[in-house]
Structure formats: C-alpha cells, structure tokens
Amino acid sequence: MRVAFAGLGVMGFPMAGHLARAGHEVTVFNRTPDKAERWAATYGGRVAQTVAEAAQGVEVFLLCVGADDDVRQVVGEALTALPTGAIVVDHTTASAEVARELAAKAADCDVGFLDAPVSGGQAGAENGQLTIMCGGEPATFDKVQPLLAPYTKAIRRMGDVGAGQLTKMVNQICIAGLVQGLAEALHFAKRAGLDPAGVYEAISKGAAQSWQMDNRWATMAEGKYDFGFAVDWMRKDLGLVLEEAARNGARLDATALIDGYYAEVQALGGRRWDTSSLLARLEPPK
Amino acid sequence: MRVAFAGLGVMGFPMAGHLARAGHEVTVFNRTPDKAERWAATYGGRVAQTVAEAAQGVEVFLLCVGADDDVRQVVGEALTALPTGAIVVDHTTASAEVARELAAKAADCDVGFLDAPVSGGQAGAENGQLTIMCGGEPATFDKVQPLLAPYTKAIRRMGDVGAGQLTKMVNQICIAGLVQGLAEALHFAKRAGLDPAGVYEAISKGAAQSWQMDNRWATMAEGKYDFGFAVDWMRKDLGLVLEEAARNGARLDATALIDGYYAEVQALGGRRWDTSSLLARLEPPK
C-alpha cells in the first residue's frame, strides 16, 4: 500500500519503520528534515519536503505530531493534496474536538478520518506492541486495521470520531490517580522505615496491585525517573482531559489536583522525567 | 497445638475455623456469645465465657477485633492468664503504636507479640488465601508461621513490632489513590458517552491496569458496591494512616482528600458499601 507518515518523534519514527518493513511504500515528512533523512537511511523509504508532497497519491496518510495545532496544520495541508477516497489516521493524543473538526473537513474532500491515539509508550512503538483506540466510521476503521497490524498489540473502534481520544483520556485519568497513590505509599513506607522491596513483595499480589506498581515501584524507590513518557506530555494530556471534563460536566477532583502536582514537578526541573516522578515533589532528588 | 481465637467477625470466624480443621485445639471467645456458639457448632471447638478463660494454658492467642481500644482490652485481659512463653498474634488492622505498647506489656509477662494484619478480604479468609504482614521478633515469627499456614497465601515479616501495621497502611494508601482514579475515569467515560465495557477492553492491558480495574470496573459501571471491604472500615484504616503520617512527617495530600471523599460517601448512606463506592459521590445511586 502507498502511505505517508508525518511526525518522526520517538513514537512515529519506529511506527513508520514497521510500515516500511511490512513492505508498504512509505513516504515520510518531518519538520526537522535531518530526522527524516536518518529514517530513510534506516528503513529505505522516501522523504518529502512538504506535507502536501508526502500526501500526493497515497491511500493512507498517518501522523503522530505534538498537539491540536500541529494536527490542524498537518491535516489541513495534507487535505490540499490527498486523492479522493484516501484516509487520514491521526495517532497524536489530541482533543476530541479537533478530531471532529478535521473529520468534517476531510469529509468535504471525500477523505476519511480516524482518530487513533496509542498507548504503550516508546517501547511499545519500537516492539510493535501498541494499543490503539480508534474513533470513526466502521468502514474506515475496517480498511485501515490491517495496515496498522505491524505495530499493534490491540486495536479497537470505540465509537464515532473523537471516541479514540476520549478513551485515551480515560486511560490517563486512571494513571494519574494510580501513580499519586503509589507515590504517597512509597513516601510513607520510607518515612516509616520499611524496606520498599519487602513492601512490594508483601502487597503486590493483592488489591493494591497495578501495572505501575509492578513496573515503577523499584525505580521510584531509587528516585529514577527516566522511563519514557514525560511529565510535559502528561500535563498536555491532562490539559485535554480537564478541558473535555469542563465540557461534559465530569467532576475530576483528584485529577485536577494531580495535574497541579505535575506542575510542581516541572518547576523542580522534571519536565522530561517520567510520570512516576510525582514522588519527587514529596522527596526532591538530591 | 492449643490455641485461642478472640473475635469471630467476618474475618475471624473462618480464620479460627481453618485452625480447627487443621487439627488444632481451638478455644474461641466472642463478645456476642451466640456467634461463638455458632462457631463451635460448625467447627467443634470450645467456647470460653471470658478472654482470660480462653487464654488459660494456650501456646498461641490470636485475635481479630475492631480497633486499637478493642485490641488493648482483649490483649490486656489475655495477659492476666497466658502462660509464660505464649505468643499473642494480632490480626486486627490497628496502629503501629498500640502494637508497640502491647508488645512491651507482653514482654513484661514473658509473652511474645506479633502484629499480623491481613489483606485479602472476607473471600481470602474463607478460602484460606490471606496475605499476612507481620512485625515482631524473628524467633516469634518463625514459631507462629506454620500455625497460620492454613489461611495464608503469603506471609512476610516486615521488621520489628509495628512493621506489619505500617505495611498494611502502605497497602491502603495505594488503594485509595487507585480507586479514586478509577472512579473519576469511569465517571468521565460515562459523561463522554463511551461504553464502559469497551473502554475496559481497550485500556486494561496497559499502563492503567490494576487489580481494582480488573475486579471492580464492571460492577462500578453498574453502581454495585456490595463486594466486601466497607467504607466504614476503610475510613478507620485511613484514620490510622493519617495519624501515623502526622508522626512520621509523610505528606499524603491525595490520601487525606480521599479520606474526606469517603466521608461524603458515608453521608450518602454508604457506610457498608465497598471501597469502590467513591464513584457514588460523583454519581449518586438512584
């Protein structure tokens, strides 16, 4: 299949690579051109100089960029060049509103649109083990699903356009509360003179168990916060969550507070630390 | 072994039963005598009319009662009758302070003391699958461990007297943050028009995964809060947590707030609802 991929960050770079390795004809675009050149040298695809050039003649145009405004700009430009019947797949974590807005614009050009944010982090992108939450028409979803298989562990259509983004927001709300609980628990355990490794053995098989506890407790105990998904990105995602909650009337008391705690971590110099660094505002690293 | 068990609540009743079924000579005491009679009719052990009578001549005296003051009263009375060399095992979730206080009193009578709060709930007590977190002397722990095996999935000595209680507190801090995150996530999902079952399928294999999500998401989505560990008990435990944090200096911002949220659930009539009912203050049941 002839496809284009815009946005070669820590997620997009390996995702586009999986498509090339699966035998698709991939053209890439990146705002910083040297990253695109490095990608082409690694995977052997073509580099476009503009989004419109990348979009010409492709069946599917994929993107994974920064935030709403980047999505607007890239999709807007792609729509000037995409052929009728093409499909845009947006892997960016963005608002449900921008998904609806761009799906309508795409429909005016007889182009399909799927919001398809992912979870699984950099490791999931590299190992082809991402979870993809999609919003859009069932027929559009069905057409695109086989293409995404090389980097997919699980994929699901959650509803109409925007439903993928809303599901990703639910995921981030869960993680915020979970990690704050874990941070306070570990902080308390250390103050109480307990051995964190022993506590993990004692409580990790019961009702307190979580993926975060299984994967972050030990590194948090050492004050190591360099495992991927960064605080800056989490704050962007929680910003989307809180804006959407203001619209749909959901009361997110703890989530709003934890967003503020992440702001404290940023102020401590932790913009690139991973999400488990909520502990750092209780125990600033030396 | 000749043992006594005081406190035949939803936890103590089956725990004492496991000891009797394992062939131990069990005398039970309960403040409400008819429960003790029912226990004896079920398991065939002896009923004592007072704590002191239960304690006479036993090697191990176990208890699982309400809170600090109950523990103080029962252990105080048991110490008037326990033979030298006996061991007290307290399965109550209580403060680390009361554990230290009673361990010192027991030592004055040449009696050992182990704080041994459990997790795993009523189902764990009935199926003999409890996790036990112990604090006390290594020699005391070693002597008692085989006795507790019939109702134990995992048992661990966490440190000196009180360390079992402190570990249980860490467990409850984790659960508080986790369940609040889950409640806000589900509340948001419903407001956003998503299907809770589909959202569970999409996000439950990744970084948001937890035992609580695997076991409570579906019932929370239906507003069912009748799965064991009650809000009243959780508030008692969080009270212990916050008192201990005031002593050891741990900052438990979210935990303190969530304790207040549980108080709102109590005010809604949810004293006996399970801990997942934090959702009920966001979506009061009809």
Side-chain angles (χ1 to χ4, degrees):
Chain A
M1 198 181 270
R2 206 172 149 194
V3 305
F5 203 111
L8 301 172
V10 294
M11 302 297 287
F13 194 98
M15 289 162 81
H18 284 291
L19 296 178
R21 289 214 169 126
H24 296 291
E25 203 179 319
V26 184
T27 301
V28 296
F29 170 81
N30 196 66
R31 211 151 43 178
T32 336
D34 57 332
K35 235 188 230 171
E37 296 297 342
R38 188 157 60 78
W39 185 91
T42 309
Y43 296 106
R46 270 183 296 183
V47 175
Q49 299 308 311
T50 65
V51 168
E53 184 194 330
Q56 266 158 24
V58 303
E59 293 172 73
V60 179
F61 182 93
L62 307 101
L63 66 153
C64 191
V65 296
D68 277 19
D69 283 345
D70 308 296
V71 176
R72 247 183 217 109
Q73 197 189 325
V74 170
V75 175
E77 190 178 337
L79 287 176
T80 64
L82 280 170
T84 299
I87 296 172
V88 172
V89 176
D90 181 19
H91 284 311
T92 313
T93 294
S95 70
E97 292 229 309
V98 83
R100 291 185 200 114
E101 169 194 322
L102 294 175
K105 277 194 183 164
D108 290 342
C109 306
D110 286 320
V111 167
F113 185 94
L114 211 64
D115 54 304
V118 303
S119 70
Q122 189 175 344
E126 286 166 358
N127 307 329
Q129 294 287 306
L130 293 172
T131 294
I132 312 187
M133 297 150 263
C134 300
E137 296 292 323
T140 309
F141 176 76
D142 292 345
K143 270 187 214 157
V144 159
Q145 194 178 351
L147 173 70
L148 310 184
Y151 50 78
T152 300
K153 180 173 76 172
I155 183 165
R156 197 178 170 93
R157 181 182 166 270
M158 305 305 304
D160 295 336
V161 166
Q165 298 296 353
L166 294 168
T167 304
K168 178 73 188 278
M169 294 178 201
V170 176
N171 189 73
Q172 305 303 66
I173 297 168
C174 288
I175 290 175
L178 214 169
V179 173
Q180 179 63 21
L182 213 56
E184 294 189 10
L186 188 48
H187 174 59
F188 178 94
K190 289 165 122 185
R191 288 270 170 167
L194 297 168
D195 167 42
V199 172
Y200 175 78
E201 289 302 321
I203 70 173
S204 62
K205 305 287 181 285
Q209 181 279 336
S210 64
W211 184 97
Q212 296 288 339
M213 181 185 276
D214 290 340
N215 290 277
R216 294 289 179 269
W217 180 269
T219 48
M220 287 167 77
E222 295 172 13
K224 284 188 186 164
Y225 306 122
D226 49 2
F227 289 88
F229 197 74
V231 168
D232 275 359
W233 306 341
M234 188 62 166
R235 287 218 70 210
K236 183 202 84 174
D237 290 6
L238 292 178
L240 295 171
V241 163
L242 296 171
E243 275 174 35
E244 186 66 35
R247 265 191 290 273
N248 70 24
R251 283 172 55 196
L252 304 184
D253 309 287
T255 306
L257 285 162
I258 295 164
D259 181 50
Y261 301 162
Y262 276 120
E264 291 180 37
V265 174
Q266 288 177 317
L268 284 169
R271 306 176 68 93
R272 306 300 297 175
W273 296 345
D274 71 51
T275 45
S276 71
S277 59
L278 281 172
L279 180 59
R281 62 180 277 279
L282 305 173
E283 302 176 4
K286 284 134 206 161
Chain B
M1 198 180 270
R2 208 171 147 195
V3 305
F5 203 111
L8 301 172
V10 294
M11 302 297 287
F13 195 96
M15 289 162 81
H18 284 291
L19 296 177
R21 289 215 169 124
H24 297 290
E25 203 178 319
V26 184
T27 301
V28 295
F29 170 82
N30 196 65
R31 211 151 43 178
T32 334
D34 57 332
K35 235 188 231 172
E37 296 298 342
R38 189 157 60 79
W39 185 91
T42 310
Y43 296 107
R46 269 183 297 182
V47 175
Q49 300 308 313
T50 65
V51 168
E53 184 194 330
Q56 265 158 23
V58 303
E59 294 172 71
V60 180
F61 182 94
L62 306 102
L63 65 153
C64 190
V65 295
D68 278 18
D69 284 344
D70 309 296
V71 176
R72 246 182 219 109
Q73 197 189 323
V74 171
V75 175
E77 190 177 338
L79 287 175
T80 65
L82 281 171
T84 299
I87 297 172
V88 172
V89 177
D90 181 19
H91 284 311
T92 314
T93 294
S95 70
E97 292 229 307
V98 84
R100 291 185 200 112
E101 169 194 323
L102 295 175
K105 280 195 181 164
D108 290 343
C109 307
D110 286 320
V111 167
F113 185 94
L114 211 64
D115 54 304
V118 304
S119 69
Q122 189 175 342
E126 286 167 0
N127 308 330
Q129 294 287 306
L130 293 172
T131 295
I132 312 186
M133 298 150 263
C134 299
E137 295 292 324
T140 309
F141 175 76
D142 291 345
K143 271 187 216 159
V144 158
Q145 193 177 351
L147 173 69
L148 309 184
Y151 50 77
T152 300
K153 180 172 78 175
I155 183 165
R156 198 180 169 90
R157 181 182 166 270
M158 306 306 303
D160 296 336
V161 166
Q165 298 297 353
L166 294 168
T167 303
K168 178 73 189 276
M169 294 178 202
V170 176
N171 189 72
Q172 304 304 65
I173 298 169
C174 288
I175 290 175
L178 214 168
V179 173
Q180 179 63 22
L182 214 56
E184 294 190 8
L186 188 48
H187 174 59
F188 178 94
K190 288 165 122 187
R191 289 268 170 170
L194 297 168
D195 167 41
V199 172
Y200 175 78
E201 288 302 319
I203 70 175
S204 63
K205 305 286 180 286
Q209 182 277 336
S210 65
W211 185 97
Q212 296 287 340
M213 181 185 276
D214 290 340
N215 290 277
R216 294 290 179 268
W217 181 269
T219 48
M220 287 167 77
E222 295 172 14
K224 284 188 186 164
Y225 306 122
D226 49 1
F227 289 86
F229 198 73
V231 168
D232 275 359
W233 307 341
M234 187 62 166
R235 286 218 70 208
K236 184 203 85 174
D237 290 7
L238 293 178
L240 296 170
V241 163
L242 295 171
E243 275 173 34
E244 186 66 35
R247 265 191 291 273
N248 71 23
R251 284 170 55 196
L252 304 184
D253 310 288
T255 306
L257 285 163
I258 295 165
D259 181 49
Y261 299 163
Y262 276 120
E264 292 180 36
V265 174
Q266 288 178 318
L268 284 169
R271 305 175 70 93
R272 306 301 297 175
W273 297 345
D274 72 50
T275 46
S276 71
S277 59
L278 281 172
L279 180 59
R281 62 180 278 279
L282 305 173
E283 301 177 5
K286 285 135 205 160

